[in-house]
Amino acid sequence: MPDAASTQIVFLLFPGITQLDFTAPAQALSRMPGAKLAAAAASLDPIATDSGFSLVATHDFDTCPLADIVCVPGGHGVVDALGDAATIAFLKRQAASAQWVTSVCTGAFLLGRAGLLAGKRATTHWAYTHLLPLVGAEPAPGRVVEDGRVVTSGGVTSGLDFALTLIARLKGDAVAQAIQLAIEYDPAPPFAGGHPDRAPAAVTEGLKARVYDAAAARMAAALGG
């Protein structure tokens, strides 16, 4: 794709979204040559995030332009969004003509509810990967998993990896590397424990007991599993 080509990127917003699932890839993708970003929600009312502040969409479902890239962030609000017919209908409509269909974290389950992960290799937040077969997907390892035009990414911070991966596919490695440098994405976390494969077992089990066992059960119930 030539650098001058316009690429319409549409993010789906909903109450209870994890803001970094949206804002991290949006920051990287917005710097891609020719990128045009839109954030679509059921209305233009402020949308409560999980961080104590709200976001405002640029478009509602009826006025949003058709996407070349559609991206679905995650968050605990996915459970409610799974049952919202207008949200799922919008996603199906956008995906029908999109070049790329993508998700961050538990946004994968909204892709699945829309029928977009059937038979696809996919990933999501580590606490929910065992539920991917409920939407017809095959769980696959990795922070970013590509299967044809479908690109899914793991939890929260994986959204930056996804965005840079997709930029490289569209515009070449040099463009993606320049954007990575521009945003100084040079992670050097204080602990080597961002995934259960590396985190101390007591930390993982404690977090699951406090948050994710119940959260995964709610997701399973919403998916009918």
Side-chain angles (χ1 to χ4, degrees), residues 25-85:
Q27 181 61 245
L29 287 165
S30 71
R31 294 172 181 244
M32 184 175 72
K36 297 169 60 180
L37 265 64
S43 76
L44 299 184
D45 294 333
I47 297 165
T49 72
D50 63 357
S51 300
F53 60 83
S54 296
L55 300 167
V56 178
T58 60
H59 297 78
D60 62 24
F61 291 160
D62 292 329
T63 61
C64 185
L66 289 175
D68 298 306
I69 301 169
V70 59
C71 183
V72 184
H76 290 299
V78 165
V79 169
D80 291 330
L82 285 167
D84 185 77

Side-chain angles (χ1 to χ4, degrees), residues 128-219:
Y128 301 87
T129 53
H130 64 290
L131 299 179
L132 285 169
L134 294 178
V135 292
E138 175 189 345
R143 282 171 67 82
V144 181
V145 173
E146 300 177 63
D147 191 333
R149 70 178 185 132
V150 176
V151 184
T152 54
S153 56
V156 193
T157 60
S158 301
L160 266 177
D161 298 53
F162 141 70
L164 292 168
T165 298
L166 193 56
I167 292 166
R169 295 285 178 272
L170 290 168
K171 303 295 183 179
D173 290 357
V175 172
Q177 288 170 345
I179 292 172
Q180 180 177 347
L181 178 60
I183 62 176
E184 201 172 345
Y185 180 43
D186 187 26
F191 308 105
H195 188 274
D197 289 348
R198 292 172 293 282
V203 173
T204 299
E205 292 307 314
L207 183 58
K208 287 174 85 285
R210 291 194 308 275
V211 178
Y212 288 114
D213 287 341
R218 290 193 297 273
M219 185 73 77

